[in-house]
Amino acid sequence: MSRHRSPSRVAVALCAATVLVGLTACGGGEDSTHLTWYINPDGGGSNPEGGGQAQIAAQCTEQAGGAYSIEVQLLPNSASDQRQQLLRRLAGSDASVDLMSLDPPFIPEFAQAGFLAPVPEDMVETFTEDRVESSVTASTWNEELVAVPFWANTQLLWYRKSVAEAAGLDVEGGNVTWQQLVEAAEAQDVTIGVQANRYEGYTVWINALIAGAGGEILVNPGPDLDDIELGLDSEAGRAAADIVRSVADAGVGGPSMGTADETVALNLFQDPDTSGFLVNWPYVWAAFPANGVEFIDDIGWAMYPATSDEGDPAPPYGGISIGVGAFTEDPDLAYQAAECITNHEHQVLYMTGTGNPASRAAVFDEAEVVEQFPMADVIRDSLEQAVPRPQTQFYGDLSTAIQRVWSPPDGVTEDTPAESATLIMQVLRGEALL
Amino acid sequence: MSTVTDTPQTRRRDQHRPKLSDRARAERKLGWKLAGPAFVIMLAVTAYPILQAVWLSFFRYRLTDPDAREFIFLSNYSVIFTDSLFYQALWNTVFITVVTVAVELVLGFAIAMLMHRIVLPRRTLRTIVLIPYSIITVVSAFAWLYSFRTDTGYVNGWLNTLTFGAWDATFDWFGSWLPAMGVIMISEIWKTTPFMSLLLLAGLAQIDSAMEEAAKVDGATFWQRLFRVILPNMKAAIMVAVLFRTLDAFRIFDNVFVMTRGANNTETLSTLAYKQTIDRVEIGMGSALSVVLFLLVFAIALIFIRGFKVDLAGSK
């Protein structure tokens, strides 16, 4: 029997060695001045000279003179997937998440869960100075700044000047309504690029429509579960449903409106035969020449369409704030890096490099920005009017429930807003699946 | 070594035997020593997570709010069994399983017959047939997604040309339930038919060619030989292949996740469980759904093994 024993000992030793190697690999004693920044994909990718976040990371590392070094890690494409990955890492107390590019609607959830290191009091002023108001609002939770506004995004209405002219639509001169757009597109046999796939971008559209009608999805931002009050089942909610339905019914949303995200909408607008209108973020301006669009001279831009004749438009608000992970070894160092990342110089670099607008108002006055973005002033005006999505720690559920009930867009009726409100409350109380 | 090859029948007989011989006892001991470590590891990596999931399913537990964790016993299950979304996902899952396994069985058998009969480019043919199976499911899902999409796809263009313009070149495959399910199933069938055909090929190879020849001499037609000789003799292989593919198909996730993310009522049980656990970080509800999925898969395996008497260890 002794001969049988020795192999099993070898096996045990092997097992133990494997486990030990595994553990040490996880432990990894990394240098505490080494910071990892989880970035959302942008035009620069992970290229340190691509004009995106990777380049800012490289420049800040250089400027820090050895105080810290920043390495970037690319997050998935969609906002929901980015949230998921960060959330799971932070729920597992991952100390490698030093800095992260956070989509504003998810900030309350992260802050409420204690996933964000508190902003040092002496840096609050630095992080809010010169910032457009909406970017500070979106980075605030329970009246405290919890993230650093980096860039601020808003959607504009992009249109073919020739189409608008043929339809007799004065887009540039005044606020165009969605109804006017649908009628013009129908008459000219062109499309309106919208985002109505079952994803976050659809909530962006619905929120903008409801806010444009003077309503709110969430009446009281930041409440506890029991105090939540929804404003979906309202005149504004029904006005929004009416517009979604009319775009779908008129067939101007393109052949795949129900599966259209920003890219599909952009592709639709780039088709020279059918392009008419598009609501999308300003990144498209850099994308047109890159995608070989030949009618760039014919492309105009204007403030986001209004929901009705009476109210002002409520353009969507997006962008990115920099969050510092709660489990990072040296939060102060990470906030120093965040200061570098979001300074004036780097916001100019980022806006010119990727087409994503700055959260600092002064950036829009820079000569190179004005030269590259003839619509810079419209973007700034739009950011002033922009309405963020509902601020609640339950935003993920709220948004997913809205997307589910409002999909597909051609199935939207006047009962849809009320149905989505019911589902949201059921889901939040744990009485329904999502 | 007799302990290793015992069939369930002989083992059952063993229980009635009052005493084991010394030799048998020593062999049983050795068997435990040899298989023990593997058994412990298997318990650690399968039984522990399963029990953990069962335990977690009794809680209302949100990962972002661990302090509010609350024991609610079977409430999660009652929500699941009263929610229409669950039944929709269950129906979709069953639908996909039945259709894909049936199509794969027929297609896979045809390919297996071809591989079995063909002599000349035998190796090349077997390699070619295996290519789809060697592709990662997510990659294959993206490939099919892009080929059916209205902006990047070519399928609409081909159909439009083949039908002389009768097919709408801008048809949105992912815009409604049936076409979306169709594409999901095509991708699934394309990807896993090779697996089915390989299992069936193994069954075909086991049939004694003398039996077929005898039938031929007796004047049996091809179909008679197929239904009277070939199929009855490879029943075990067919059942194993169908069992494996059914269990596999019932857990379908990648294709749905990549193509529709459950839009247009295409949710399946796996995507539903994923949504609760990973997306909503509702660990309790997600665990409850996973437990339900596990029990369903377990039931399928049980029905096959007990009901259809599939013998996973033996060949016939």
Side-chain angles (χ1 to χ4, degrees), chain B residues 158-171:
Chain B
W158 282 11
L159 287 174
N160 184 264
T161 311
L162 287 173
T163 57
F164 302 102
W167 182 267
D168 179 9
T170 56
F171 181 71

Side-chain angles (χ1 to χ4, degrees), chain B residues 80-108:
Chain B
I80 290 172
F81 291 122
T82 50
D83 197 310
S84 60
L85 191 60
F86 169 75
Y87 293 100
Q88 188 187 72
L90 181 64
W91 156 244
N92 282 337
T93 311
V94 171
F95 182 70
I96 291 174
T97 307
V98 170
V99 174
T100 56
V101 173
V103 174
E104 283 170 25
L105 184 63
V106 176
L107 266 181

